[in-house]
Amino acid sequence: MHGVPLTERVIEVVRRDPQASALPHLLPHVNVPWVEGGEARPMAEEVLAAAVFPSGRPLPPSLRAWLAYDTSLLERHEWFTPDGGFAPRPLDQVVSDEMGAFWGTEFSWLSGHFPECFLLPGGSDSRRILAVTEPDEEGEYPVFALDLDDMPYLGLMYPGFDVYLADTAGLLELGKRRTYTDLIDHGIYGPRMRHHAVRCFAGEACVEYPFEFAPVYEQLYPGRGEVIGRG
C-alpha cells in the first residue's frame, strides 16, 4: 500500500486517540502528540487545493491527505510561515538549526541538490528530513535520516511521507532496522527507494563523512573532487 490509501489508514488510527504520542517507543519521555490539543486543525480546503511548494513542485499525495486532516504536527516542526505558507529550508540550514553551524557548513555542498527540506518528528540524536526532489512514481518525495552520532551521515530512510507516517504509527511490520537504508531492499518499497537513490545520491543509498572521499562526491559536486585530489 502506498500514497493516499496508506495515509488514510494512519489517519484512522490517529483519530482514535489524537493526543497519543507519535513516538512512544523512540522518545517515551517526550510528549510528541500526533495532534496538539487533541483537536485536529485541517488546512482550509481552498488553501490546500491551490497549495504547492515555493519551488512550484506539487505536494505529495500523502502530505495533501494528511494536511486535509491536521496541520498541527508539522506546524510544531516549523513547516509554515506566519501567514500559513510553506517555509522550507535548504539542507545546510536544517543541519545548522538542529545540530549547530559547524555541521551545517559541512553539509552545504548538498544544499544545491536539496534546497527545500522540512523537519519531521523522529530520532533522538538523529533527525528525519523530507526533501522536495524529483518525485517517485507515487508522486512522493524521500525522507532522509540525518545522523551525527558517529560519522556524519545522510541517507534514504523512507521512500515518502506515506511510508514514514505508516511506520511511525506502527502499521508496517518492517522488522528491526539494521541500518537507516534497509528499505532499499524491501520487496514493496525497495523500487521507490532505489528510484530516489539514483536521483538523490547518484545511485548510492547515503553519503558519509568525510564527504570528499565518498564515491558520489564528484558526481554530486562536479569539479570539487578534482580540487580535493590536487590538494
Side-chain angles (χ1 to χ4, degrees):
M1 190 174 288
H2 306 265
V4 173
L6 189 56
T7 306
E8 287 176 342
R9 285 189 60 197
V10 176
I11 293 171
E12 288 174 9
V13 170
V14 174
R15 277 199 174 109
R16 296 176 199 145
D17 188 0
Q19 295 192 85
S21 174
L23 305 168
H25 305 296
L26 185 62
L27 298 174
H29 305 299
V30 179
N31 184 26
V32 187
W34 282 104
V35 176
E36 190 169 25
E39 186 172 342
R41 299 201 302 270
M43 183 174 284
E45 289 183 17
E46 64 276 11
V47 174
L48 184 56
V52 294
F53 291 120
S55 64
R57 289 191 183 277
L59 272 57
S62 62
L63 177 61
R64 192 172 290 278
W66 180 260
L67 292 175
Y69 168 65
D70 179 62
T71 58
S72 69
L73 180 68
L74 303 181
E75 187 175 49
R76 281 175 275 147
H77 289 78
E78 302 180 354
W79 274 57
F80 306 109
T81 62
D83 62 0
F86 287 99
R89 291 172 283 173
L91 177 66
D92 61 336
Q93 187 63 53
V94 176
V95 178
S96 291
D97 293 344
E98 293 296 312
M99 306 295 196
F102 172 81
W103 291 115
T105 300
E106 291 295 321
F107 280 87
S108 63
W109 66 283
L110 282 168
S111 287
H113 294 277
F114 309 121
E116 286 188 310
C117 295
F118 295 89
L119 187 66
L120 290 166
S124 49
D125 296 328
S126 60
R127 298 292 186 273
R128 310 290 176 260
I129 297 171
L130 178 76
V132 181
T133 60
E134 290 290 333
D136 62 22
E137 63 268 25
E138 299 292 333
E140 300 286 333
Y141 304 113
V143 173
F144 296 152
L146 168 71
D147 196 334
L148 305 186
D149 190 33
D150 293 318
M151 285 294 193
Y153 168 102
L154 185 75
L156 289 163
M157 189 169 185
Y158 297 103
F161 185 70
D162 55 340
V163 182
Y164 158 81
L165 275 181
D167 191 36
T168 302
L171 295 181
L172 303 179
E173 296 181 1
L174 299 177
K176 185 176 177 61
R177 300 195 81 138
R178 298 183 303 277
T179 69
Y180 288 120
T181 60
D182 279 355
L183 291 185
I184 204 159
D185 295 317
H186 192 268
I188 296 173
Y189 300 118
R192 290 176 57 193
M193 290 282 284
R194 292 190 288 275
H195 168 95
H196 290 307
V198 171
R199 300 293 184 183
C200 295
F201 299 125
E204 300 291 330
C206 65
V207 290
E208 296 183 80
Y209 189 85
F211 298 123
E212 60 265 29
F213 298 111
V216 301
Y217 187 80
E218 173 62 23
Q219 296 178 63
L220 297 177
Y221 200 9
R224 181 61 178 166
E226 297 175 6
V227 173
I228 294 293
R230 290 199 299 271

